[in-house]
Amino acid sequence: ILAKADLPDQEGKAEPVIRPYTPISTNAQVGSFDLLIKNYGDNGRMSTHLCGLDEGASIEFKHIEFNVKIQAPFPYKKIGMIVGGTGITPMVQALHAILGDEKSEIQVSMLYGSRVSSDILGKELLDGWVETSPRLNVTHILSHEPDDSDWKGPRGFIGKDLIQKEFPTPGDKDGIIFVCGPPPMYNAFCGPRTDKELSGLLAEMGYTADQVYKF
């Protein structure tokens, strides 16, 4: 969905600002929806505005058909998820559908890249799902976590070794990889969102375009 608000520019004049967001709630929630929003402070005009709204305040939202991505139920047995930052939101929506379906046997493995542990969006929700569902595995990889922190998980960046360890193989036609994150992540793993062809690391590893979905 698209959010719209009239916000002041650098000169203080109001101008329309539009940003896309992915609800993390399910279709079963009627009459409202939930958003997971990272507040970027001075670097995020809309996010700062939304996070600063008082209860009862209003804002405009619009749904357009282009924003409808791949739909559940998913016809796969294994799903790998490459996630960066706010790219977690469509994955949460997909996980609601997968884990909420008691008949589903889909196995999901997520590689979630963040800068530092405090940047991990939705960690509490993901941790809860991991504890209650044997069909979900989440690996957090931190690129800039301080050396003296208590972090025990992987550091650095998502790479070939983790993908080979956690994801369906290129020859597995019952598997698919979902990718969502900032533009550099798309460029590195699968090529820009607007490119139908597959490039980047996943292509080098032998995956094909029909095995990778770019959110």
Side-chain angles (χ1 to χ4, degrees):
I1 59 175
L2 299 177
K4 177 184 177 183
D6 292 327
L7 304 178
D9 60 16
Q10 293 182 345
E11 298 178 354
K13 297 179 180 179
E15 65 175 358
V17 176
I18 300 174
R19 296 289 187 272
Y21 291 97
T22 301
I24 61 170
S25 45
T26 71
N27 291 337
Q29 182 172 317
V30 179
S32 65
F33 56 85
D34 298 332
L35 297 178
L36 180 62
I37 299 172
K38 181 177 181 179
N39 190 343
Y40 288 95
D42 294 338
N43 295 321
R45 297 174 68 189
M46 180 63 81
S47 64
T48 301
H49 175 68
L50 289 173
C51 292
L53 287 175
D54 294 327
E55 185 174 346
S58 62
I59 187 170
E60 295 180 65
F61 287 98
K62 180 180 181 180
H63 178 271
I64 57 176
E65 187 174 350
F66 172 78
N67 287 335
V68 178
K69 306 299 184 181
I70 188 171
Q71 294 289 292
F74 306 112
Y76 309 103
K77 294 181 179 179
K78 301 176 184 176
I79 296 178
M81 296 180 172
I82 296 178
V83 185
T86 55
I88 187 61
T89 53
M91 305 304 182
V92 167
Q93 196 174 59
L95 286 170
H96 269 303
I98 296 168
L99 302 179
D101 182 357
E102 296 181 355
K103 297 180 180 179
S104 174
E105 297 180 353
I106 297 175
Q107 297 287 330
V108 181
S109 183
M110 177 188 294
L111 299 178
Y112 188 175
S114 303
R115 288 179 57 83
V116 294
S117 55
S118 60
D119 281 345
I120 302 174
L121 295 176
K123 188 175 187 301
E124 184 176 340
L125 176 62
L126 293 172
D127 288 348
W129 275 336
V130 169
E131 289 179 5
T132 58
S133 176
R135 295 192 289 121
L136 174 63
N137 179 64
V138 178
T139 303
H140 294 284
I141 303 95
L142 303 182
S143 60
H144 293 75
E145 181 73 1
D147 292 337
D148 59 355
S149 78
D150 294 331
W151 180 252
K152 300 295 192 297
R155 296 172 182 260
F157 298 90
I158 300 170
K160 182 178 179 180
D161 290 346
L162 278 173
I163 293 173
Q164 288 178 327
K165 177 183 177 183
E166 301 291 344
F167 283 5
T169 65
D172 189 347
K173 298 305 179 183
D174 289 322
I176 193 169
I177 297 175
F178 293 165
V179 182
C180 192
M185 175 170 278
Y186 286 103
N187 294 338
F189 289 103
C190 58
R193 291 176 58 192
T194 53
D195 286 1
K196 293 184 178 180
E197 295 183 359
L198 183 67
S199 57
L201 179 61
L202 294 177
E204 294 172 6
M205 293 178 65
Y207 292 96
T208 57
D210 63 341
Q211 292 178 295
V212 179
Y213 189 89
K214 308 175 186 180
F215 278 85

